[in-house]
């Protein structure tokens, strides 16, 4: 007997710098439905296709407070901020709906960041090392965890997307000048494609 295999989720089209959707504050997800779950699966498929560790809904054209992450854990270097954080690593990929951030640590770190919506561009961003994240999962359960390491940074980066902010707005001015021509070229290319 042969069982019909469930088709793989179709990746979504990416939105790039210059698309107005990336500069909009997103709306709350009112209800988690079968469509929400299907959308989450397609977001995860898109994230993997683009070789990313995080993807927010506006990056695929939807103004919703929702993102997906799959952050690697390095046993040699990473020290989980909490038992909940360690549990999150075991559950990757994770879908975060209507996330809220609080309890930021005073300690901050500088790290180079990139973005799937701004390909080929990186810049150093200063962010708090640790934070508390509260979010709703696909089972409509509210979850919370105290996170550190790359996970905390990734969550902050994706949260910025939900607020219409991009990492390039947080990098030092001298670094911004170095990438400004690349950014202008990408914006021009995006605007041209949007007119089609």
């Amino acid at each position: 007997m042969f069982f019909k295999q469930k088709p793989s989720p179709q990746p979504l089209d990416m939105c790039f710098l210059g698309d107005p959707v990336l500069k909009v504050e997103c709306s709350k997800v009112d209800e988690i439905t079968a469509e929400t779950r299907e959308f989450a699966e397609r977001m995860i498929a898109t994230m993997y296709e683009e070789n990313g560790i995080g993807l927010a809904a506006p990056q695929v054209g939807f103004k919703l407070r929702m993102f997906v992450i799959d952050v690697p854990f390095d046993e040699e270097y990473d020290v989980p901020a909490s038992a909940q954080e360690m549990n999150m690593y075991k559950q990757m990929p994770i879908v975060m709906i209507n996330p809220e951030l609080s309890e930021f640590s005073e300690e901050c770190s500088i790290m180079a960041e990139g973005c799937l919506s701004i390909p080929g561009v990186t810049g150093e961003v200063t962010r708090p090392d640790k934070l508390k994240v509260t979010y709703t999962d696909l089972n409509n359960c509210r979850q919370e965890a105290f996170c550190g390491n790359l996970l905390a940074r990734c969550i902050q980066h994706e949260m910025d997307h939900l607020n219409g902010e991009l990492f390039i707005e947080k990098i030092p001015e001298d670094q911004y000048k170095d990438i400004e021509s690349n950014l202008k070229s990408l914006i021009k290319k995006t605007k041209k494609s949007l007119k089609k």
Side-chain angles (χ1 to χ4, degrees):
M1 184 182 286
F2 294 95
F3 292 96
K4 194 173 181 181
Q5 200 171 21
K6 185 182 176 184
S8 299
Q10 278 293 106
L12 297 150
D13 292 332
M14 289 289 303
C15 297
F16 298 101
L17 183 68
D19 192 320
V21 73
L22 296 176
K23 297 301 297 170
V24 175
E25 186 165 352
C26 296
S27 303
K28 275 193 168 185
V29 176
D30 293 325
E31 185 182 5
I32 296 170
T33 63
E35 288 77 16
T36 312
R37 294 183 181 91
E38 182 185 350
F39 177 55
E41 286 184 3
R42 294 187 69 187
M43 283 183 67
I44 291 167
T46 308
M47 174 177 66
Y48 289 152
E49 183 173 82
E50 300 293 330
N51 297 312
I53 61 171
L55 183 74
Q59 291 182 273
V60 287
F62 291 79
K63 303 169 189 175
L64 297 171
R65 298 194 75 76
M66 175 174 172
F67 60 76
V68 299
I69 56 171
D70 191 343
V71 180
F73 178 72
D74 190 327
E75 289 184 8
E76 189 175 348
Y77 298 106
D78 291 340
V79 179
S82 67
Q84 299 109 311
E85 180 185 342
M86 194 67 239
N87 194 43
M88 286 174 72
Y89 281 114
K90 294 173 184 174
Q91 294 176 36
M92 297 286 177
I94 289 177
V95 179
M96 294 193 176
I97 299 169
N98 299 332
E100 295 174 10
L101 306 186
S102 60
E103 298 183 33
F104 296 92
S105 65
E106 290 185 12
E107 300 80 21
C108 294
S109 294
I110 302 170
M111 188 182 289
E113 292 187 20
C115 180
L116 297 179
S117 292
I118 314 175
V121 173
T122 59
E124 292 184 339
V125 180
T126 302
R127 296 192 189 272
D129 288 341
K130 297 176 182 177
L131 56 83
K132 179 182 175 183
V133 60
T134 308
Y135 63 96
T136 301
D137 64 20
L138 287 175
N139 295 317
N140 206 23
C141 295
R142 203 68 179 155
Q143 306 284 354
E144 66 176 43
F146 196 62
C147 303
N149 306 304
L150 181 60
L151 178 56
R153 179 169 290 270
C154 181
I155 288 170
Q156 291 174 81
H157 179 107
E158 300 309 329
M159 191 71 172
D160 282 350
H161 276 299
L162 305 190
N163 296 325
E165 299 173 5
L166 301 170
F167 85 95
I168 52 173
E169 297 162 24
K170 299 176 183 288
I171 65 176
E173 192 175 342
D174 60 326
Q175 286 188 26
Y176 188 88
K177 286 177 181 175
D178 290 339
I179 62 171
E180 196 167 10
S181 61
N182 289 353
L183 299 177
K184 285 179 179 176
S185 296
L186 181 55
I187 291 169
K188 187 177 179 181
K189 183 180 175 183
T190 300
K191 289 187 174 177
K192 189 176 179 181
S193 69
L194 290 173
K195 286 179 181 177
K196 289 180 181 177

